[in-house]
Amino acid sequence: MQKIWSRHLRLTLAGLAGSTLAGLYLGYPVYGLTAGLALYLLWTLYQTRSLAHWLSDPNSASEAPQSIGIWGSFFEKLHKLTQSSLQAQSSLRSRIDRIQESTNAMRDGVIMTDALGAMEWWNGSAEHLLGFQRSTDQGQYIYNLIRTPAFKAYFDAKNYREPLELSSPAKPHIHLQIQISLFGEDDRLIVAKDVSRLHQLEQMRQDFVSNVSHEMRTPLTVISGYLETLVDNADDLPAKWRRAVNTMATQSFRMETLIADLILLSRIETGKQSEQDVPTNVDRLVRQICQDARTLSGESQHDIRFEVASEQLISGDENQLRSAFSNLIFNAVKYTPARGKIKVLWFTDNEGGHLSVKDTGSGIDEVHIPRLTERFYRADPSRHKDTGGTGLGLAIVKHVLINHDGNLEIKSRLGEGSEFVCHFPPERLVSTITE
């Protein structure tokens, strides 16, 4: 480009010099120079007009104006840049169209919004699952169309590690799982998945467990009653029957405990357990549980200590909290060797309230920790049989904490003991009992 400019400059100066010499020959050198400048200006204005006309007409973008010199080179290079830009736009448009086409083929609803929640684009499945309409909903705030407080809170929280489940605003029989991802400048990509079938299966499972547990309770109570009578009169039985009766009585008691835990877990899961959000004195509640834990320890003589670093209370269902805390503390007693140490701590900070149960037991392999709160999951089946547990304790703890907007943190390593921490949000804390 530098060479072209130098050549153009030389030709321009030569032309002006020629016009000046022609004027000098005629006796008017200034007029000759002026005429040369005027011709150069008119030529430049003509080229500028051609450029403006070319740029203003999209249909003529494929054909550049014809010219010579620096203007011809300028038009040629600008034409190449324009063609390159058009090709890049065409390629990008093809990719966008392909992405939109593939997204429209998805069964899951996909919605794109800006940082404030204004809807920019969504696929066909989102229209089916959520009832959106392109003619009226473009640019609308999504939380005005999904009028659920839980969704608005989930959208604003920016904590999208766990999905949100809710019913479709347009079709209540459809149960959706909402997952949000952040991109760009806090823009949102929202994926709505139809999990109605899974929700129905889970509901059927819960109903089945609940109904079977209740149906088994009555006959088992009768069996346990007769076995208790036989145990009380074991001296009147033949010696070979005494061991059998005692074994049946032990297993009957274990089944009663299992059914009681199943019924409790079912009530907590389905919300049938009464949830009264009343201030609960954690100090008093946990001290009672620790006293029961010392009784359970018996000859093992565990060193059970409870420390209170906060006087704040928890707003929630005291019966559920008692079940959760007792499961953690009793588990610590069961899985800690004799004369081991168990430390229970209640404290609060800016993140909320926390109850920690730490023991000096043998610990748990880290590979088992993610599944410990599953029903009947056993990290060590042989030890589980020795403790006589039902395998539902941590599942109960998990669902109690969910009902109280909290979560369970498990820290454990083999040979180094375990620590279970119940975390409650600041909203669940109260300073004093209100009348």
Side-chain angles (χ1 to χ4, degrees):
M1 192 67 184
Q2 183 66 30
K3 293 181 179 180
I4 297 174
W5 168 251
S6 299
R7 183 171 178 271
H8 174 74
L9 182 60
R10 289 195 301 268
L11 290 175
T12 302
L13 292 176
L16 292 176
S19 65
T20 303
L21 290 175
L24 180 62
Y25 177 77
L26 296 174
Y28 301 99
V30 176
Y31 288 165
L33 177 61
T34 303
L37 291 173
L39 288 174
Y40 180 76
L41 178 61
L42 289 174
W43 182 72
T44 302
L45 289 175
Y46 175 76
Q47 300 301 330
T48 305
R49 178 179 175 275
S50 299
L51 175 62
H53 179 72
W54 180 43
L55 295 179
S56 63
D57 186 4
N59 296 325
S60 65
S62 59
E63 298 180 1
Q66 300 298 319
S67 184
I68 60 175
I70 193 171
W71 280 100
S73 178
F74 178 71
F75 286 147
E76 181 181 357
K77 291 184 178 297
L78 188 58
H79 178 64
K80 290 181 179 180
L81 289 174
T82 303
Q83 291 300 314
S84 177
S85 177
L86 290 175
Q87 290 176 1
Q89 290 181 15
S90 177
S91 176
L92 182 59
R93 172 52 59 186
S94 298
R95 293 183 182 182
I96 292 175
D97 291 342
R98 184 170 179 79
I99 292 173
Q100 290 184 347
E101 183 179 353
S102 61
T103 306
N104 278 321
M106 294 176 60
R107 293 186 176 183
D108 298 340
V110 180
I111 309 103
M112 292 175 60
T113 74
D114 62 14
L116 298 178
M119 296 173 57
E120 298 177 346
W121 180 88
W122 59 89
N123 65 352
S125 295
E127 295 184 1
H128 169 70
L129 295 174
L130 295 164
F132 296 156
Q133 298 180 1
R134 297 191 182 277
S135 59
T136 58
D137 296 338
Q138 186 74 33
Q140 295 288 331
Y141 292 113
I142 188 169
Y143 41 77
N144 289 339
L145 302 176
I146 305 179
R147 294 179 175 274
T148 304
F151 176 79
K152 181 64 166 63
Y154 182 64
F155 184 92
D156 293 336
K158 295 185 181 180
N159 182 9
Y160 306 133
R161 289 177 297 179
E162 297 294 332
L164 172 70
E165 293 192 6
L166 49 80
S167 297
S168 168
K171 301 176 180 179
H173 65 280
I174 295 180
H175 199 77
L176 300 176
Q177 184 182 81
I178 306 294
Q179 182 72 63
I180 301 180
S181 300
L182 292 173
F183 71 97
E185 298 181 359
D186 281 347
D187 296 335
R188 267 74 162 184
L189 178 66
I190 304 173
V191 178
K193 185 176 182 179
D194 185 356
V195 293
S196 302
R197 180 61 177 167
L198 292 176
H199 182 70
Q200 291 172 359
L201 290 174
E202 179 65 15
Q203 189 63 48
M204 290 172 60
R205 182 198 62 77
Q206 292 180 0
D207 292 342
F208 174 79
V209 172
S210 177
N211 293 335
V212 169
S213 299
H214 281 87
E215 291 298 326
M216 290 179 62
R217 195 174 208 176
T218 299
L220 188 58
T221 301
V222 174
I223 294 173
S224 298
Y226 280 114
L227 286 173
E228 185 177 352
T229 302
L230 291 174
V231 170
D232 291 340
N233 297 276
D235 295 337
D236 299 333
L237 297 174
K240 64 179 182 179
W241 289 104
R242 294 175 187 171
R243 181 178 179 183
V245 170
N246 288 329
T247 302
M248 287 189 293
T250 301
Q251 295 302 320
S252 175
F253 175 77
R254 186 174 180 181
M255 286 189 66
E256 284 186 318
T257 304
L258 174 61
I259 290 175
D261 283 351
L262 282 172
I263 293 174
L264 175 60
L265 180 58
S266 176
R267 288 175 177 173
I268 293 173
E269 283 183 327
T270 58
K272 294 179 180 178
Q273 178 93 345
S274 62
E275 292 187 25
Q276 301 176 353
D277 285 345
V278 298
T280 299
N281 190 321
V282 180
D283 184 1
R284 174 182 54 80
L285 177 61
V286 176
R287 286 190 188 279
Q288 293 175 355
I289 297 173
C290 288
Q291 186 60 42
D292 295 338
R294 294 185 184 95
T295 303
L296 175 65
S297 174
E299 296 180 357
S300 297
Q301 297 182 357
H302 292 95
D303 182 9
I304 302 175
R305 299 183 182 182
F306 175 46
E307 297 181 9
V308 179
S310 173
E311 298 297 328
Q312 288 187 286
L313 315 179
I314 296 179
S315 176
D317 187 315
E318 182 172 344
N319 291 328
Q320 288 194 19
L321 293 174
R322 182 187 300 274
S323 297
F325 297 162
S326 60
N327 269 296
L328 292 179
I329 297 173
F330 292 167
N331 278 351
V333 173
K334 293 176 183 178
Y335 294 114
T336 301
R339 301 184 184 278
K341 295 181 179 180
I342 300 172
K343 180 180 178 181
V344 184
L345 172 65
W346 166 246
F347 66 98
T348 59
D349 54 24
N350 294 333
E351 297 181 358
H354 317 275
L355 182 81
S356 167
V357 180
K358 189 173 184 179
D359 61 57
T360 57
S362 57
I364 305 168
D365 193 330
E366 293 180 358
V367 70
H368 298 294
I369 291 179
R371 299 190 59 189
L372 283 181
T373 56
E374 295 180 9
R375 301 173 187 82
F376 303 112
Y377 182 79
R378 301 176 181 180
D380 187 346
S382 60
R383 284 188 61 195
H384 182 85
K385 292 178 181 178
D386 293 337
T387 60
T390 62
L392 296 173
L394 292 180
I396 292 174
V397 174
K398 171 186 173 181
H399 287 283
V400 167
L401 293 178
I402 289 175
N403 287 346
H404 290 79
D405 309 312
N407 62 85
L408 177 65
E409 180 183 6
I410 303 175
K411 306 174 185 178
S412 184
R413 297 184 66 179
L414 283 176
E416 299 181 10
S418 304
E419 182 179 10
F420 294 80
V421 186
C422 301
H423 298 291
F424 298 91
E427 299 79 23
R428 285 282 178 176
L429 299 179
V430 290
S431 298
T432 58
I433 300 178
T434 56
E435 295 296 336

